[in-house]
Amino acid sequence: MVTNNLHGWTGKCLTVDLSKKVFKKTSLEREILLQYMGGRGLGVRLLWELVDPKTDPYTPENLLVLATGPLTATQIPTTGRISIIGKSPLTNGVFYSSCGGFFGVSLKQAGFDVLVIRGKSERPVYLYVDNDFVEIRDVSHLWGKTTKDTLKILEKDLGKDFEVVCIGPAGENLVRYACIACGPNNFAGRGGLGAVMGSKNLKAIAVRGTYKPKIAKEKSLNNLLEKCRIRIRWNPILDKALSYYGTSALVNLINEHRILPTKNFQQGWFEHAEKISGETLKETIFVEKRSCYNCPIACKRKTKVNDVMGEGPEFETIGSLGSMLLIDDIKTVAEINYLCNEFGLDTISTGGTIACAMELSEKGLLEEKINWGDVEKVKELVIKTVYKKGLGKLLAEGSRFLAKKYGCEEVSMQVKGLELPMYDPRGVLGQALAYATSNRGGCHLNAYMIGVEILGYPYLMDRFSPVNKPSIVVYMQNLAAAIDSMVLCKFLGFEFDEETFANFLSYVTGENFSQESVISIGERIWNLERLFNFKAGLNGKTDNLPKRFQIPLQKMLEEYYLVRKWTVDGFPTPDKLKSLGLPVK
Ligand code: SF4
């Protein structure tokens, strides 16, 4: 039961130790909530406090943290999301994933800001949370099942009012890029947190709750929201592109700019892009729009191929499983996407790793012949990866491992072990810097420079010029960390800035948030992640890009470190750490 004076937050943490089969409910310090907000920030803070950064991600000492934010389960759009945090088996560094859907609402309504999973169960289990009733339940009958079947069976057993996150066989088998399904339509895709869940023998978490978070200034919030809804409706990116086509609206645009990764980034242009575009998706396999909790944008897509219904593909998946592999049929891309969803694989890393294998094969370095565009072979490799059979055993380790194994590291298109998303950095230099410096590895979501370099939001910059890019990247990274910690959808950033976000926070919590404090919280989180990564063995040298791109990064990197007030080696200076209230040692 929640009995405190907090608004927005519940102030409660549920910690479950699967080794000892015990759980405890504790209070969260108000000061920590103000410094880290929730979601990613709170999760990273807990990771820092409770996990030795050198810990093997698959040992019981690693944590899996599921965190809501102060805005979760309010009437603010997109506040059903959940942040999942842990140490990644793919990058060996800190990892955070923001996942859409409804799970965040249920966890908050059960009375918890955060759920911390530690230890390892002897047998496969799932966690049952019904308000403050918590139970660890046997799940032998679900082990080995796909995410789709697991969700169906749990829904049948528990009823529709539980929200469930679960893993598929890929997570159980410790594929390093296994994802976590958050209900049937959303996935915490990147970084292998599904494998961390699998390493704990935890198949699923089912949560239901009835608590309603308190809002400090409801009237002010409602007034603001009325204006926000109008602004969303008139925003061309949110209401026209994303709502009408979903993220696949980007395919043709990105291809026209010659930055659609094709043939494992050998090219930035795919001659058959039209066949896998958002327009083609809409005409062929589209069934209906879907949205996360309280989201008027509704960028998700329900699709159908040969009478099978599924989710997606989204833009990143279309690139990873389409142009990257020279597959030019949207139905096929969707089918492979469904496979990944059901078995619990991240689509970007799956595509990136298979593309790496195709290039190794093209170079004659692989015993097995894998031709570009060979659809049946790709499907076979997906399954082999899930069960670590034959070549799948190597693919399950990710492209960095695979390429190194065959002595050809340059064909692994990743940063810090995380396969790159679908924007070729040669044509967007700010995005290149953002990839190189991202705390979670090759990721576009930590600073979406495509906004200023391609979409012209909020203004257009010369995409081939490095001028001013480092300071914009720093600002965007800090803002993204803050948004992930309020636990909002980053797409809101196409219309709202930190002023609106600060108002959301102030009205919901009753605390004083300003534009500056929001950015400063983001900066604190970014620096703490950096500290964790350095202690885990990552460093300035891992702020790099695959050699293939031949992007002169050094000058931008030096300026970036300067803006961040870090040393020339990329480590936060004592003054910077002190100013953010972070440990200097
Ligand atoms: S914009 Fe899309 S991903 Fe974001 S909350 Fe809405 S439906 Fe979910």
Side-chain angles (χ1 to χ4, degrees):
M1 203 178 8
V2 180
T3 51
N4 56 36
N5 294 326
L6 290 170
H7 292 83
W9 297 286
T10 67
K12 297 284 172 209
C13 169
L14 172 64
T15 303
V16 177
D17 188 325
L18 293 172
S19 301
K20 296 181 181 153
K21 301 188 186 76
V22 294
F23 62 88
K24 65 176 178 195
K25 298 164 195 170
T26 48
S27 295
L28 293 159
E29 284 173 41
R30 179 173 168 273
E31 208 47 43
I32 294 291
L33 294 173
L34 290 176
Q35 284 177 2
Y36 293 91
M37 289 197 281
R40 169 176 159 188
L42 189 55
V44 169
R45 167 68 203 225
L46 288 166
L47 206 67
W48 171 259
E49 227 175 82
L50 302 171
V51 176
D52 176 352
K54 292 194 171 59
T55 298
D56 177 339
Y58 286 151
T59 56
E61 287 71 36
N62 194 7
L63 295 185
L64 191 71
V65 181
L66 293 94
T68 67
L71 309 181
T72 301
T74 63
Q75 59 271 51
I76 297 169
T78 80
T79 51
R81 304 178 73 82
I82 187 79
S83 275
I84 308 184
I85 303 99
K87 186 178 175 192
S88 163
L90 194 59
T91 69
N92 212 32
V94 64
F95 215 88
Y96 36 88
S97 195
S98 172
C99 186
F102 300 78
F103 189 84
V105 178
S106 287
L107 186 59
K108 177 69 82 72
Q109 289 179 340
F112 301 106
D113 289 324
V114 58
L115 167 61
V116 178
I117 311 282
R118 61 192 320 170
K120 176 182 178 175
S121 171
E122 278 167 19
R123 274 193 292 274
V125 290
Y126 86 94
L127 183 67
Y128 175 92
V129 181
D130 188 1
N131 282 301
D132 56 2
F133 178 80
V134 182
E135 201 166 60
I136 299 168
R137 294 183 169 181
D138 179 75
V139 82
S140 320
H141 64 302
L142 292 182
W143 203 250
K145 298 246 182 283
T146 63
T147 58
K148 197 174 176 180
D149 289 344
T150 302
L151 291 167
K152 257 195 218 156
I153 294 167
L154 283 176
E155 185 180 303
K156 200 162 161 254
D157 290 354
L158 305 175
K160 278 186 190 297
D161 46 354
F162 277 81
E163 284 300 324
V164 176
V165 298
C166 71
I167 55 169
E172 297 169 11
N173 296 331
L174 309 187
V175 176
R176 286 189 190 271
Y177 42 95
C179 68
I180 299 175
C182 300
N185 310 318
N186 295 281
F187 300 86
R190 312 233 61 203
L193 294 179
V196 173
M197 195 160 157
S199 74
K200 297 185 174 304
N201 272 333
L202 180 63
K203 178 71 177 175
I205 305 169
V207 181
R208 173 172 72 173
T210 47
Y211 164 76
K212 193 169 176 288
K214 292 181 280 181
I215 309 285
K217 298 176 184 169
E218 195 132 25
K219 203 163 164 223
S220 306
L221 182 65
N222 286 338
N223 287 340
L224 176 60
L225 285 175
E226 217 166 285
K227 291 178 197 133
C228 288
R229 286 189 198 105
I230 295 168
R231 286 175 63 180
I232 289 175
R233 209 175 311 134
W234 286 100
N235 181 292
I237 295 176
L238 298 182
D239 193 60
K240 300 292 172 293
L242 282 174
S243 189
Y244 194 71
Y245 287 116
T247 54
S248 61
L250 283 167
V251 175
N252 279 335
L253 180 74
I254 295 302
N255 196 46
E256 279 159 20
H257 283 80
R258 298 290 198 268
I259 56 165
L260 183 68
T262 302
K263 211 180 174 195
N264 199 28
F265 284 87
Q266 291 185 41
Q267 303 158 207
W269 183 75
F270 185 39
E271 60 176 327
H272 302 299
E274 183 58 43
K275 295 186 189 170
I276 54 170
S277 66
E279 291 80 348
T280 302
L281 185 154
K282 181 114 184 150
E283 282 163 18
T284 53
I285 59 173
F286 174 78
V287 176
E288 63 183 21
K289 293 200 272 189
R290 276 181 168 155
S291 82
C292 303
Y293 167 80
N294 194 18
C295 177
I297 304 162
C299 75
K300 302 274 168 185
R301 290 295 173 271
K302 181 179 176 183
T303 51
K304 186 168 145 186
V305 179
N306 299 331
D307 290 332
V308 178
M309 296 277 196
E311 172 64 30
E314 297 198 17
F315 167 71
E316 299 295 335
T317 302
I318 292 177
S320 311
L321 301 176
S323 55
M324 278 281 278
L325 310 179
L326 298 193
I327 291 176
D328 63 0
D329 174 37
I330 193 69
K331 289 185 183 173
T332 305
V333 172
E335 280 178 329
I336 305 169
N337 187 177
Y338 298 169
L339 269 185
C340 291
N341 290 351
E342 292 192 20
F343 286 96
L345 285 173
D346 171 35
T347 54
I348 300 179
S349 285
T350 300
T353 305
I354 293 177
C356 171
M358 284 177 166
E359 190 165 347
L360 288 171
S361 170
E362 184 179 56
K363 287 180 180 299
L365 294 170
L366 213 62
E367 306 81 55
E368 202 164 330
K369 190 77 195 140
I370 312 171
N371 292 321
W372 297 102
D374 184 342
V375 172
E376 290 316 311
K377 191 74 186 171
V378 171
K379 289 180 182 170
E380 179 195 315
L381 288 176
V382 168
I383 303 296
K384 281 186 167 170
T385 300
V386 171
Y387 294 102
K388 295 187 169 175
K389 292 272 186 283
L391 181 62
K393 203 169 172 196
L394 300 179
L395 296 178
E397 299 296 308
S399 68
R400 178 167 62 177
F401 177 90
L402 180 72
K404 196 169 177 196
K405 171 100 186 150
Y406 287 94
C408 194
E409 289 174 62
E410 62 271 24
V411 300
S412 166
M413 297 294 114
Q414 47 74 30
V415 170
K416 301 182 177 82
L418 189 72
E419 284 71 22
L420 287 169
M422 295 301 109
Y423 309 95
D424 188 324
R426 284 167 289 205
V428 272
L429 284 191
Q431 194 62 58
L433 179 66
Y435 284 163
T437 55
S438 162
N439 284 331
R440 69 174 206 169
C443 162
H444 58 301
L445 294 169
N446 276 192
Y448 192 62
M449 291 297 285
I450 299 305
V452 285
E453 296 191 315
I454 299 288
L455 303 176
Y457 179 82
Y459 47 82
L460 193 61
M461 295 179 86
D462 179 354
R463 65 193 175 103
F464 296 108
S465 164
V467 175
N468 291 333
K469 297 291 170 65
S471 48
I472 307 273
V473 168
V474 168
Y475 161 78
M476 286 205 175
Q477 288 173 338
N478 293 343
L479 180 61
I483 293 175
D484 280 345
S485 305
M486 298 169 216
V487 199
L488 290 176
C489 180
K490 291 207 189 69
F491 287 148
L492 288 184
F494 282 121
E495 178 58 39
F496 307 108
D497 61 13
E498 55 272 29
E499 188 186 350
T500 308
F501 297 138
N503 285 334
F504 282 159
L505 288 164
S506 301
Y507 296 156
V508 170
T509 65
E511 305 284 350
N512 280 328
F513 285 92
S514 63
Q515 290 174 245
E516 293 73 27
S517 68
V518 165
I519 293 297
S520 163
I521 291 169
E523 188 184 13
R524 177 177 300 116
I525 295 161
W526 191 269
N527 277 269
L528 187 60
E529 290 165 355
R530 186 81 177 175
L531 287 187
F532 187 96
N533 275 352
F534 261 70
K535 284 186 186 281
L538 286 82
N539 52 42
K541 289 196 185 105
T542 53
D543 292 336
N544 60 17
L545 290 168
K547 280 201 190 101
R548 164 162 299 161
F549 299 135
Q550 297 191 345
I551 294 174
L553 203 58
Q554 195 50 36
K555 276 195 95 157
M556 271 202 294
L557 211 48
E558 282 166 15
E559 194 182 328
Y560 172 90
Y561 291 162
L562 208 64
V563 176
R564 281 231 171 260
K565 295 201 168 55
W566 290 354
T567 66
V568 288
D569 300 322
F571 192 78
T573 58
D575 282 352
K576 176 46 69 183
L577 293 173
K578 246 188 251 163
S579 73
L580 294 168
L582 293 173
V584 173
K585 279 212 160 182

